[in-house]
């Protein structure tokens, strides 16, 4: 006779409080309550699917009805596992433990059956225990019918409620129960447990594979075990080597099963986005989609990786925590210095907004490509800190019209790509004309710095020697080189001297104005006027 297969979630279901994973506070509270005989008559277990609500309820029923334990001993209490009560509970035939599915039995009549049954004492155990799963599905009338019995139950009755929707339960019910909130299973605990179960089943699993399974489980132990079950079934179908002692679950197997992309390829994609390489970004996306990755899951993975990078950059202690595999951490640490934290946060927000676009787009792959192209341009923008630093102490000047731009840059010929050895006749012929080109190119901050803080010692088209005033911003030279390269399509040579020359353009203009004023005031006619009108002053009004 063939023995029916039991899924891993049932095969390895915990049978003692100490076996529960990731619920330390719940275990401690229940253990002390049982030890000191301070058990309430009603428990409410709340948490997401698959974290152990029904399992915890069954463990409590085992402990409370174990014939070899007494709740008044003052010792650590656990079910023995071999008494009549424990055996019947293991075989799901205990007369005093009644498990009810409230999703299918929601009416008043079903609750009346519970109330009528609660009047009779336990037959084989210490307590008559009612486990009501998905209790939030009961109707309003059913809850009302349960109130009186729940408030003053017979001493031999215990109620254990389990729910995933705590908000749907009336406050009158909540106030009559001891509430326990079961937490999501932490990623590291889930990874370790899945490795342990895989080993018990005779399998080894790659780190990248088990981390992917744990992330897909999203804090649910049952989901994680179900996915592991699927990965084991899929790995059985793959060819194995002759000398292999155990079957290995590879990362590629899990990626194919979940429709995910290889993590290292995703890191390469993110690096291309951070560097603003649009062509490489498009190529990576299309390769991943061609290999079977789902557009929505791909964007979800990218958001998850961005979250990890932000955590690594903002809080270095995350480098010691197990939310990523060691391979992912090493790849992430190489990326976090490419962009400022503010830019990473902006990227995450932009891609989060794009998630809905990918979800509703007629062609999700196109929406994903455009979203990541926008991210390329966003990553290429200067950080907020650099902008603020540039604005400090720098007056803004109005930006000339596009017509003036065309007149001033007639000798600059844009090219489709960067050409280093360009004819100097196509470059601005003087430092003053270069400064005006920067002005009309809509670079007001750089224009102000060139006008006020820079003393041009020597200028030739394509190269110049400058003296920078002490208060000049530290990022001035890199910004100037980048702007000139973008504007003229020429790689400029810029040298810096430590001795000033004739002064900045603003200083030279002010000196000319003073000379002009002195020349006019010293004219014989102006001297005669000042003699005739001794209290008069001379002002030069420029048109």
């Amino acid at each position: 006779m063939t023995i029916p297969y039991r899924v891993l979630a049932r095969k390895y279901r915990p049978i003692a409080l100490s076996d529960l994973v990731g619920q330390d506070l719940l275990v401690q509270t229940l253990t002390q309550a049982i030890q000191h005989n301070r058990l309430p008559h009603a428990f409410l277990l709340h948490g997401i699917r698959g974290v152990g609500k029904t399992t915890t309820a069954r463990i409590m029923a085992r402990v409370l009805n174990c014939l070899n334990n007494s709740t008044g001993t003052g010792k650590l209490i656990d079910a023995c596992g071999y008494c009549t009560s424990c055996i019947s509970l293991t075989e799901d035939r205990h007369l005093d433990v009644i498990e009810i599915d409230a999703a299918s039995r929601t009416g008043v009549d079903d609750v009346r059956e519970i109330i009528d049954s609660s009047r009779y004492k336990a037959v084989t155990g210490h307590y008559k225990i009612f486990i009501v799963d998905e209790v939030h599905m009961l109707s309003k009338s059913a809850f009302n019918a349960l109130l009186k019995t729940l408030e003053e139950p017979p001493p031999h009755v215990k109620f254990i409620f389990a729910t995933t929707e705590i908000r749907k339960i009336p406050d009158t019910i909540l106030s009559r129960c001891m509430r326990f909130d079961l937490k999501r299973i932490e990623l590291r605990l889930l990874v370790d447990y899945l490795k342990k179960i895989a080993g018990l089943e005779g399998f080894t699993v790659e780190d990248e594979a088990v981390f992917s399974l744990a992330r897909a489980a999203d804090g649910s132990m049952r989901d994680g075990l179900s996915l592991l079950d699927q990965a084991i079934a899929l790995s059985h179908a793959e060819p194995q080597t002759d000398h292999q002692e155990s079957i290995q679950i590879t990362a590629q197997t899990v990626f194919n099963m979940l429709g995910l992309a290889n993590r290292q390829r995703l890191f390469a994609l993110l690096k291309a986005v951070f560097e603003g390489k649009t062509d490489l970004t498009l190529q990576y996306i299309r390769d991943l989609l061609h290999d079977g990755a789902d557009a929505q899951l791909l964007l979800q993975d990218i958001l998850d990786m961005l979250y990890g990078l932000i955590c690594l950059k903002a809080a270095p202690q995350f480098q010691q925590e197990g939310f990523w595999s060691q391979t992912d951490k090493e790849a992430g640490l190489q990326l976090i210095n490419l962009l400022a934290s503010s830019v990473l946060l902006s990227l995450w927000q932009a891609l989060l907004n794009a998630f809905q676009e990918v979800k509703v787009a007629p062609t999700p792959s196109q929406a994903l490509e455009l979203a990541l192209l926008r991210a390329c341009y966003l990553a290429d923008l200067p950080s907020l800190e650099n902008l603020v630093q540039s604005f400090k102490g720098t007056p803004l000047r109005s930006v000339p019209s596009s017509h003036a731009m065309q007149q001033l840059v007639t000798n600059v010929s844009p090219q489709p790509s960067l050409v280093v050895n360009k004819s100097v006749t196509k470059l601005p012929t003087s430092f003053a004309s270069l400064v005006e080109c920067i002005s009309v190119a809509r670079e007001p901050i750089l224009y102000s710095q060139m006008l006020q803080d820079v003393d041009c010692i020597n200028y030739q088209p394509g190269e110049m020697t400058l003296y920078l005033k002490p208060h000049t911003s530290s990022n001035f030279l890199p910004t100037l080189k980048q702007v000139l390269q973008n504007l003229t399509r020429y790689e400029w040579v810029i040298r810096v001297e430590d001795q000033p020359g004739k002064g900045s353009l603003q200083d030279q203009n002010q000196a000319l104005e003073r000379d002009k004023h002195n020349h006019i005031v010293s004219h014989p006619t102006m001297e005669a006027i000042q003699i005739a009108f001794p209290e008069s002053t001379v002002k030069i009004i420029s048109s």
Side-chain angles (χ1 to χ4, degrees):
M1 179 179 177
T2 304
I3 300 176
Y5 176 70
R6 297 182 71 193
V7 296
L8 298 180
R10 294 187 61 195
K11 183 177 181 180
Y12 295 100
R13 170 172 272 172
I15 59 175
L17 286 175
S18 57
D19 295 334
L20 291 174
V21 179
Q23 309 297 344
D24 296 341
L25 181 61
L26 168 70
V27 171
Q28 181 182 0
T29 305
L30 287 179
T31 300
Q32 292 182 358
I34 294 170
Q35 180 181 0
H36 298 291
N37 196 22
R38 300 185 64 87
L39 291 168
H41 58 271
F43 301 84
L44 178 62
L45 306 177
H46 164 245
I48 66 168
R49 77 275 178 268
V51 291
K53 300 182 296 298
T54 306
T55 297
T56 302
R58 292 177 179 177
I59 291 174
M60 292 169 62
R62 283 172 61 93
V63 173
L64 293 176
N65 274 337
C66 180
L67 300 179
N68 292 325
N69 281 334
S70 172
T71 55
T73 60
K75 299 178 180 179
L76 183 64
I77 297 173
D78 203 354
C80 67
Y82 53 82
C83 68
T84 305
S85 178
C86 290
I87 293 174
S88 58
L89 254 174
T90 303
E91 297 175 355
D92 294 329
R93 55 180 179 81
H94 201 292
L95 296 177
D96 298 323
V97 178
I98 304 167
E99 191 167 336
I100 301 167
D101 178 22
S104 58
R105 303 182 64 183
T106 63
V108 178
D109 293 338
D110 300 310
V111 172
R112 284 176 181 161
E113 289 183 16
I114 297 175
I115 296 172
D116 293 340
S117 178
S118 66
R119 297 172 182 171
Y120 302 100
K121 289 188 176 182
V123 178
T124 58
H126 300 296
Y127 298 99
K128 185 177 284 290
I129 300 174
F130 296 93
I131 300 174
V132 185
D133 203 5
E134 302 298 336
V135 68
H136 65 274
M137 298 294 289
L138 291 177
S139 65
K140 183 177 181 181
S141 301
F143 276 125
N144 291 334
L146 189 61
L147 281 177
K148 189 61 178 176
T149 303
L150 190 61
E151 184 173 11
E152 298 177 358
H156 59 274
V157 172
K158 299 290 183 184
F159 291 98
I160 305 177
F161 301 132
T163 181
T164 56
E165 300 285 347
I166 194 73
R167 296 179 181 177
K168 293 183 179 180
I169 299 177
D171 292 339
T172 49
I173 297 291
L174 292 175
S175 63
R176 289 166 167 81
C177 302
M178 178 181 284
R179 172 177 167 179
F180 293 93
D181 292 312
L182 279 73
K183 302 185 297 181
R184 290 175 181 265
I185 312 298
E186 295 179 6
L187 185 65
R188 171 49 67 181
L189 293 175
L190 198 51
V191 165
D192 292 341
Y193 192 76
L194 292 179
K195 282 185 176 180
K196 175 184 175 182
I197 298 301
L200 292 175
E201 291 293 307
F203 287 80
T204 59
V205 55
E206 292 182 357
D207 284 346
E208 196 62 45
V210 73
F211 269 90
S212 297
L213 290 173
R215 278 191 293 267
D218 194 24
S220 169
M221 182 62 76
R222 185 174 62 232
D223 286 6
L225 290 173
S226 299
L227 291 171
L228 179 61
D229 230 338
Q230 185 178 353
I232 288 175
L234 188 59
S235 298
H236 268 303
E238 296 180 351
Q240 306 296 324
T241 61
D242 296 337
H243 303 288
Q244 193 167 359
E245 297 181 358
S246 61
I247 302 175
Q248 186 177 47
I249 303 173
T250 63
Q252 193 58 49
T253 299
V254 175
F255 293 153
N256 294 337
M257 182 185 80
L258 300 177
L260 301 177
N262 185 292
R263 299 281 288 184
Q264 297 310 307
R265 294 173 70 183
L266 285 181
F267 276 112
L269 171 61
L270 274 182
K271 183 178 180 182
V273 171
F274 290 177
E275 294 175 348
K277 297 179 179 179
T278 54
D279 53 346
L280 199 56
T281 298
L282 275 178
Q283 186 62 48
Y284 282 147
I285 298 171
R286 290 174 180 175
D287 288 345
L288 289 167
L289 294 174
H290 180 267
D291 291 343
D294 179 81
Q296 192 171 336
L297 290 177
L298 185 56
L299 183 55
Q300 186 173 332
D301 277 351
I302 293 172
L303 285 169
D304 173 69
M305 294 177 75
L306 270 176
Y307 163 78
L309 291 175
I310 293 169
C311 289
L312 282 177
K313 193 172 182 69
Q317 65 267 24
F318 274 84
Q319 298 177 19
Q320 279 73 46
E321 296 189 8
F323 73 105
W324 267 2
S325 66
Q326 187 60 34
T327 305
D328 284 357
K329 282 183 185 177
E330 292 173 359
L333 290 173
Q334 295 177 4
L335 286 181
I336 58 175
N337 294 325
L338 293 179
L339 294 177
S341 297
S342 58
V343 181
L344 288 174
L345 289 168
S346 300
L347 279 175
W348 191 90
Q349 187 65 49
L351 292 178
L352 179 64
N353 294 335
F355 189 80
Q356 187 65 21
E357 299 175 10
V358 174
K359 190 175 181 180
V360 301
T363 308
S365 59
Q366 293 179 358
L368 175 63
E369 289 177 6
L370 294 179
L372 289 175
L373 285 180
R374 290 200 301 268
C376 286
Y377 292 114
L378 181 61
D380 200 31
L381 293 176
S383 65
L384 182 61
E385 293 85 350
N386 290 339
L387 287 177
V388 171
Q389 186 66 30
S390 300
F391 271 108
K392 286 183 178 179
T394 306
L396 296 180
R397 182 181 182 276
S398 61
V399 179
S401 65
S402 58
H403 178 68
M405 174 69 181
Q406 293 174 1
Q407 289 181 336
L408 285 169
V409 200
T410 53
N411 57 344
V412 179
S413 175
Q415 298 296 324
S417 61
L418 178 62
V419 180
V420 176
N421 297 322
K422 196 73 179 172
S423 174
V424 295
T425 58
K426 294 183 179 290
L427 301 176
T429 57
S430 67
F431 181 73
S433 61
L434 176 68
V435 173
E436 285 302 318
C437 287
I438 291 174
S439 171
V440 297
R442 299 183 181 274
E443 295 287 346
I445 299 175
L446 185 61
Y447 170 78
S448 297
Q449 292 173 322
M450 293 287 285
L451 196 65
Q452 302 173 17
D453 303 336
V454 177
D455 184 349
C456 183
I457 307 298
N458 183 37
Y459 178 87
Q460 291 180 359
E463 59 180 279
M464 51 187 163
T465 303
L466 306 177
Y467 166 76
L468 305 180
K469 293 184 178 180
H471 61 271
T472 306
S473 174
S474 59
N475 63 346
F476 166 75
L477 281 177
T479 304
L480 175 61
K481 288 183 179 180
Q482 186 64 44
V483 169
L484 291 181
Q485 186 171 317
N486 294 338
L487 181 63
T488 65
R489 304 295 177 180
Y490 188 89
E491 189 170 349
W492 286 67
V493 177
I494 302 177
R495 304 180 185 86
V496 178
E497 290 283 348
D498 56 0
Q499 294 297 326
K502 298 179 180 179
S504 66
L505 290 179
Q506 187 181 66
D507 295 338
Q508 294 180 36
N509 290 335
Q510 291 174 352
L512 289 174
E513 290 295 329
R514 287 194 298 270
D515 291 343
K516 183 178 179 181
H517 181 274
N518 295 335
H519 176 71
I520 293 174
V521 171
S522 61
H523 193 274
T525 304
M526 293 301 299
E527 291 179 349
I529 293 173
Q530 286 183 306
I531 292 173
F533 301 95
E535 295 182 359
S536 64
T537 58
V538 178
K539 283 188 178 181
I540 300 176
I541 303 175
S542 59
S543 57

